Amino acid sequence: MKVLQFPLARITIGFVLGILLAYNFQPQPQLLFALLIFAFCAFTIAYFVSKSNVIIPIYFGWTSYFLAFGIGTTTQIIHTNSFQKSNYIHKSDIFEKPHLVAVTLREKLRSSNYNDRYIVLVNQIDDSIKTGRILLNVRKDSLNHSFEIGTHLQIKGSLYESGPAKNPNQFDYGKYLEGKQIYAQIYTDVSDIKIGNLIQKDVWYYTSRLRSKIIRNLEKNNFNKAELNVAIALILGQQQDISPEIIRDYQFAGAVHILSVSGLHIGFILLFVTFLLKPFPNTQRGSFIKLIIILASLASFGLIAGLAPSVLRSVTMFSFVAIGMYLRRSSNIFHTLLVSMLLILLFEPSFLFDVGFQLSYVALFFILWLQPLLAQLWKPKNKIINYFWEILTVSFAAQIGAFPLSIYYFHQFPGLFFVTNLVIIPFLSVIMALGVLVMVLAAFDYVPLFLVKSLEWSIFILNKIINSIASLEQFIIQEIPFNWQLLLTVYLLIIATIIWFKKPSFNRLTLVLIATIIYQFAYFETHWKIQNQRELVVFNSKKNTQIAERNGENVILYANDSLLKKGLKNKTLSAYLMGNFSHLKVRKKLENVLYIKEKKILILDSLSVYPKNISPDIVILTQSPKINLDRFLQTIKPKMVVADASNYRTIQKLWEATCIKEKIPFHATGEKGFYRLE
């Protein structure tokens, strides 16, 4: 790959590897700074030695990559809030009792069914000056309160740590929040919040006010709410108020990417502003003024759109493209891509773990690398046919690059993505032009009714097209099992195939065959590992008890009658089956006694009925059985007690105390998550 021949590419790889090492292993900061100093000294020595040689020695390159690696590790540590002594996570009693927390509102998130959600910046906890981010959950009420960005709040409440997923293969929301430097949540009512008189008027405040002003002016013109929310997502990148049904349609149609401001949107802004600035003279001074206006327009749009990872990536990259246009240089687009990545990760290394950021870069890389090759397969002479052919090749290139990551994260694949892109991309350019014009005019309190209605009807038609494609659910492949080993080997196979396809040769074909063998090895190794496993899992389920016994790829579900009827509609079970490459073989009603790996398991439910003279290894308590646990344990003498989330919490606390007294291990799924017996 010629891309890897660029020194910048290898420096970027070293930098990214450094971030990954610091993120996954979190070594001591002192050790990493010592590593950085050593890398800098080695680089300096290699630089001066290379100056005295006609040919630059190879170790100069290696020390450069090593220095990039060291900078990557320290950058991640510096930007990890939990390493800062002032962060609230270091307060000894932070999760043990209620606190008076003073915060500043930073960002409004999508509301849940019961709470309005905000990201807030900590200013003070009790009498201590503290820093950090917290997820604030304000319970909804009939008055539908809303807080302005930048508002200072005082909240009396308890902080809750975002723990790991409570069921196997479930989305780990705690880890997701940790990636955003959020280590705690607060749940509160509006009545427990004291609103301060001061408002922090920074860039976040003014951009939020501008967005609110635009939305308010559009609402005055009776812009339909559903279409307005999509318009705000398309133009301003704000998805908070889009209904789950519309998002689901866009996901199933393979068009959810257009709801996030990305390269498609920023590229259009660049072309639109460049078109408006055509009257400027092409003198050195005129070109410089145009460049400043273009960069300011892109930066302003990025701020208004909320500086999401995809927005930052696109704005940074297209800013370099604009600079290249000003310098009249045909700068290599891969260099532009790498520079934008380096700059973004240098200031926000946590973006590397953002799914949108990963998908954006992978899709754009494959568009730049693979699309020209696909476009050469056919050269239609008709301009209209050629236009749609280019859209199709761009769509295929992006999907080929992004689909392994998409399957890994979302476990589904929209089969009609190419139809969606063929239909909506030409239509989207019209909506973007009209939308940008309407939003700009709305910012200046001038909203012509005919433009508003044109935009509203355009989005209405777009939503109808998306809904029609999404309704063909037989073309949507869902619940695809996929692990990180398959992810890496699939990418290896795709890259090797493209390299061979670009310039076929025997050596490159050999590389494809080797990649195929590696993929097959990963696939069979995964299935061999699954086949040789046997386990019993007690899920963390509040309403209904459910226990799964897995023997290889076959799963037996034990549950009550109402849950058994749901079958694979049960999300907890579906995630477990998908994560273990398994399928549901049998559904059985809960029994009192189970046997697995020579272990006897007694299940005690609300009826409190169990066989006499039984000596179980494990007791599973469900549905809050009314028993004297002291006497029960002394009689049965189990080696382990498990209580699932269907039991009352107050009873579980008493059970835990009893088990501690009897020196019997106690596992409550509500606190520790699911229980697994292997």
Side-chain angles (χ1 to χ4, degrees), residues 629-631 633-634 656-665:
L629 192 63
D630 248 326
R631 190 184 309 138
L633 294 179
Q634 290 172 9
E656 184 177 11
T658 302
C659 287
I660 291 172
K661 177 184 164 186
E662 296 293 331
K663 296 181 180 180
I664 297 174

Side-chain angles (χ1 to χ4, degrees), residues 307-320:
L307 292 178
S310 59
V311 178
L312 269 177
R313 185 266 305 169
S314 303
V315 168
T316 306
M317 194 192 73
F318 280 102
S319 296
F320 277 94

Side-chain angles (χ1 to χ4, degrees), residues 233-264:
L234 286 172
I235 313 301
L236 300 181
Q238 304 297 307
Q239 302 181 34
Q240 293 93 329
D241 298 319
I242 301 181
S243 69
E245 292 77 20
I246 290 179
I247 288 183
R248 177 182 173 275
D249 285 345
Y250 276 78
Q251 287 175 339
F252 282 7
V256 72
H257 59 282
I258 72 172
L259 294 178
S260 301
V261 174
S262 60
L264 180 67

